[in-house]
Amino acid sequence: MTTKTEPVNGTAPVRRVRSGTGGGRERLVQWTFVLPMVVFLLLFFCYPVLRNLTMSFQEWTVASFYEGGSPFVGLDNYVGLLTDPIFGTAVLNTVLFTVGSLAPQFAIGLGLAVFFQRRFPLSGVLRGLLLLPWLLPLVVSGAVFRWIYDEGFGVLNQLLLGLHLISDPVPWLSSTRYALLSAIIANVWVGVPFNLVILHSGLQAVPGSLYEAAALDGAGPWQRFRHITLPLLRPVIAIVLMLGLIYTLKVFDMIMILTGGGPANASETLTTWSFALSFEEFDFGQGAAVGNILIVIALVFALFYLRSIRDTFQSRGGRG
Amino acid sequence: MSTTQRVTNTIVGVVLVLVFLAPVYWMINVSLQSSEALLRTPPVWFPFEPTWSGYAEALRTQGSHLLTSLVIALGTVLFTLLVSAPAAYALARFRLRGTLALVLVVLLVQMVPGIVMANSLYPVFSQLGLLDSYAGMILADSTLTVPFAVLILRTFMSGVPGELIEAARVDGCGQWRTFGSVVLPVCRNALITAGLFSFLFAWADFLFAVSFTTGNTIQPITVGIYRFVGNQTTNWNGVMATAVLASIPAAFLLLTAQRYVAAGITGGGVKE
């Protein structure tokens, strides 16, 4: 930050001097730093979001690309969605997938974070290794799980059969009953490290003296967790769940490579459905409409997210 | 904590990691088996007789896709740093009107679902001839990396000592000169972090890759794996060998840049 050294004259607004924006020319130079990003945001975020909105009111087909015609059809795309039987399935699957992924990955992540809070040899290295699933490309994890889930030769069925937990191989990916569950399990595996890292760094901020005091007062491990860890961790928990939710809503790669949304739409979520409408059925208008529904849902949770980090923002003077 | 307790904790920790990383082990194990060995029951638990035929096939059929992804990811890193580093500096250091609002916008745009971008950019890319092109993929992947990089670089850059910058200014450096010769060198680690993550995001991108390439001209490795899985009948060792090769950037990041990873996850907020 530049600090003005020249004397403040009586008429200059104090705020400007304190904020150090300098003269007009200086401020122009400063704006050149932000300009490329602003242009990028306008071209690659504002424009696409607006374009997606207008596309959702148009009939966009393959012909639109070749002949350029994309007639305005009002709310037809949205009406089409609501009357489509897949709509209900996709919404339900999105909710099941999101909640079904979030709850276990948060619980496992928290458990691991609490465990790795203890100091013991190799704890840092081991905690680091647990990050691997998060760092792998989702398509890679998806491919691995696809083979693990294979009905005939996949290791999961062979293991369960060997342990006599099941009597027949389970068609993990090819039955409508298990497809979504299989995708959820794989997605939980990917999501645990993210929860672990953020919750672990949150735990580091809990003062150890609190635990010592509680232990002196005779509080057991569960009581200490319940009355110290959880309350102090609440802001971090809110952020983890919110980000997890926004991220899980738009999971695409994992479902696509495991089941492609099938069988019979059993694992179709709003995201995969939007993709199928646009890029498989070439109905970009309807695909855009589903996308807009997703934006609205994401925005609602984004506002919650912004509210939960607002305090961090303000206390750090906007330098979060 | 007593020694026994510490040792017990280590053992429990090792077991937890082994269980949790079992899928990664299985990927490596399968990649080293012959196609016949994969059809045995019970499965072959350890690669006692490793064969490299899976890797040979992976390189033969997917080698060019690995290269494609490398070019796209490196291009994305370059473009991302060029756009984000100055912006992050401005957002961290200059008290310009509206910068706080801009930070909020950067946070918010990360929440736009990728499918929306794919859907609305497709017609534009089609018109501009950006489908099936490196430039198109780099620009599309940058929508994942620019907001992320701006946010983590800004956090680091607000920690640069003000005296350093003032000294440069007093010596007569302009803002850009100060930025280039003082701020950037000091922020080397932050640039590495942002760069590594940008690489990884672009490398792992599947949605844009599958939307904006037809496979006739260029095909990123994620699409390569997707189509490989779709087409294959028996050569899962080849698929898994490709998966192992595609995991190299992640493994590299984990082994060499461990300390940046946590910073990246907590600093950037969202993974796409």
Side-chain angles (χ1 to χ4, degrees):
Chain A
M1 210 169 318
T2 56
T3 310
K4 299 280 285 182
T5 45
E6 67 238 42
V8 183
N9 73 45
T11 52
V14 179
R15 202 179 130 266
R16 188 199 282 181
V17 173
R18 193 191 53 206
S19 59
T21 40
R25 200 175 153 271
E26 180 76 10
R27 210 171 325 150
L28 273 183
V29 173
Q30 295 188 347
W31 274 114
T32 61
F33 280 75
V34 201
L35 192 68
M37 182 194 71
V38 171
V39 171
F40 182 79
L41 290 179
L42 286 174
L43 285 181
F44 284 90
F45 282 99
C46 291
Y47 175 74
V49 168
L50 290 176
R51 175 84 184 233
N52 203 65
L53 191 66
T54 54
M55 278 175 90
S56 73
F57 300 115
Q58 288 173 304
E59 191 182 319
W60 264 92
T61 57
V62 182
S64 310
F65 291 103
Y66 295 103
E67 291 147 26
S70 48
F72 180 80
V73 291
L75 290 170
D76 277 10
N77 287 325
Y78 291 92
V79 174
L81 291 183
L82 292 172
T83 51
D84 193 322
I86 300 178
F87 181 76
T89 315
V91 169
L92 180 67
N93 284 343
T94 305
V95 173
L96 287 176
F97 184 81
T98 308
V99 176
S101 297
L102 278 185
Q105 74 194 20
F106 172 76
I108 299 171
L110 182 60
L112 288 171
V114 170
F115 175 77
F116 279 99
Q117 203 188 359
R118 303 175 188 175
R119 306 221 173 281
F120 55 86
L122 292 181
S123 67
V125 176
L126 293 172
R127 190 162 44 86
L129 285 174
L130 287 177
L131 296 178
L132 194 56
W134 187 84
L135 293 170
L136 292 180
L138 278 163
V139 167
V140 166
S141 316
V144 174
F145 272 92
R146 176 118 172 210
W147 176 241
I148 288 175
Y149 282 135
D150 187 86
E151 189 176 345
F153 303 102
V155 69
L156 182 59
N157 274 342
Q158 299 206 29
L159 196 69
L160 294 175
L161 285 169
L163 294 170
H164 299 288
L165 289 170
I166 53 173
S167 50
D168 296 300
V170 176
W172 291 106
L173 299 174
S174 56
S175 83
T176 51
R177 202 167 153 198
Y178 297 110
L180 187 67
L181 176 69
S182 305
I184 289 174
I185 293 172
N187 193 54
V188 166
W189 184 73
V190 171
V192 164
F194 175 75
N195 286 265
L196 166 64
V197 171
I198 302 209
L199 292 171
H200 186 266
S201 66
L203 285 174
Q204 300 309 99
V206 179
S209 56
L210 282 180
Y211 290 108
E212 286 158 28
L216 283 178
D217 289 342
W222 169 247
Q223 281 178 311
R224 289 197 295 257
F225 177 76
R226 170 85 183 69
H227 295 290
I228 299 174
T229 310
L230 274 187
L232 285 173
L233 213 53
R234 226 172 56 201
V236 181
I237 291 176
I239 288 177
V240 156
L241 289 179
M242 219 73 82
L243 288 176
L245 200 135
I246 293 165
Y247 156 68
T248 313
L249 266 180
K250 48 185 186 181
V251 166
F252 173 76
D253 315 29
M254 185 56 94
I255 298 180
M256 210 54 197
I257 198 159
L258 280 180
T259 63
N265 303 312
S267 57
E268 198 85 271
T269 62
L270 286 171
T271 305
T272 58
W273 191 35
S274 177
F275 181 82
L277 285 169
S278 295
F279 291 94
E280 285 162 15
E281 294 170 29
F282 300 105
D283 189 341
F284 279 77
Q286 284 210 345
V290 177
N292 287 333
I293 297 175
L294 273 170
I295 292 187
V296 171
I297 303 173
L299 260 187
V300 169
F301 290 108
L303 291 178
F304 278 115
Y305 169 68
L306 289 182
R307 226 183 64 174
S308 66
I309 61 166
R310 188 181 52 188
D311 302 338
T312 334
F313 246 109
Q314 284 169 346
S315 62
R316 283 198 237 167
R319 289 206 190 161
Chain B
M1 216 183 290
S2 74
T3 315
T4 340
Q5 270 175 319
R6 286 156 51 93
V7 171
T8 317
N9 279 332
T10 304
I11 294 171
V12 174
V14 169
V15 171
L16 285 174
V17 168
L18 287 180
V19 170
F20 195 71
L21 293 188
V24 177
Y25 170 73
W26 204 247
M27 165 175 79
I28 297 168
N29 181 33
V30 169
S31 76
L32 292 166
Q33 308 283 356
S34 65
S35 299
E36 301 83 55
L38 293 179
L39 304 181
R40 265 179 231 157
T41 37
V44 184
W45 297 105
F46 304 101
F48 284 129
E49 297 162 4
T51 162
W52 298 98
S53 64
Y55 286 89
E57 194 192 347
L59 286 176
R60 190 171 50 77
T61 62
Q62 306 291 328
S64 64
H65 306 154
L66 286 163
L67 275 180
T68 300
S69 283
L70 188 68
V71 173
I72 292 172
L74 288 176
T76 306
V77 171
L78 196 68
F79 181 81
T80 302
L81 291 182
L82 280 175
V83 173
S84 345
Y89 179 64
L91 295 182
R93 285 288 168 186
F94 303 153
R95 285 285 167 263
L96 289 167
R97 195 180 290 252
T99 43
L100 191 61
L102 254 182
V103 176
L104 286 179
V105 168
V106 174
L107 267 171
L108 273 175
V109 295
Q110 290 192 104
M111 307 187 177
V112 178
I115 182 69
V116 169
M117 312 295 285
N119 198 65
S120 50
L121 286 176
Y122 186 86
V124 187
F125 276 25
S126 169
Q127 267 171 348
L128 298 177
L130 286 171
L131 296 178
D132 279 320
S133 77
Y134 286 105
M137 283 310 303
I138 289 170
L139 287 172
D141 285 345
S142 295
T143 63
L144 304 174
T145 56
V146 166
F148 176 86
V150 167
L151 291 177
I152 50 176
L153 288 175
R154 174 175 168 272
T155 310
F156 279 98
M157 283 175 175
S158 53
V160 175
E163 296 81 12
L164 219 57
I165 295 163
E166 275 157 39
R169 302 283 290 144
V170 169
D171 285 348
C173 287
Q175 290 288 9
W176 277 99
R177 178 93 191 273
T178 309
F179 176 69
S181 43
V182 177
V183 178
L184 284 186
V186 172
C187 290
R188 212 186 58 209
N189 284 351
L191 293 169
I192 294 174
T193 311
L196 284 171
F197 272 91
S198 299
F199 185 94
L200 206 62
F201 284 5
W203 179 268
D205 161 64
F206 171 61
L207 178 55
F208 293 142
V210 80
S211 310
F212 298 149
T213 66
T214 53
N216 298 329
T217 322
I218 60 168
Q219 190 172 136
I221 188 62
T222 47
V223 180
I225 293 178
Y226 177 64
R227 304 230 160 96
F228 201 175
V229 168
N231 294 336
Q232 67 76 39
T233 41
T234 52
N235 44 5
W236 271 98
N237 58 343
V239 176
M240 288 300 115
T242 313
V244 171
L245 295 177
S247 307
I248 290 174
F252 175 82
L253 190 62
L254 199 68
L255 293 176
T256 61
Q258 173 74 70
R259 67 203 165 105
Y260 301 131
V261 174
I265 296 178
T266 46
V270 197
K271 185 202 185 189
E272 221 286 340

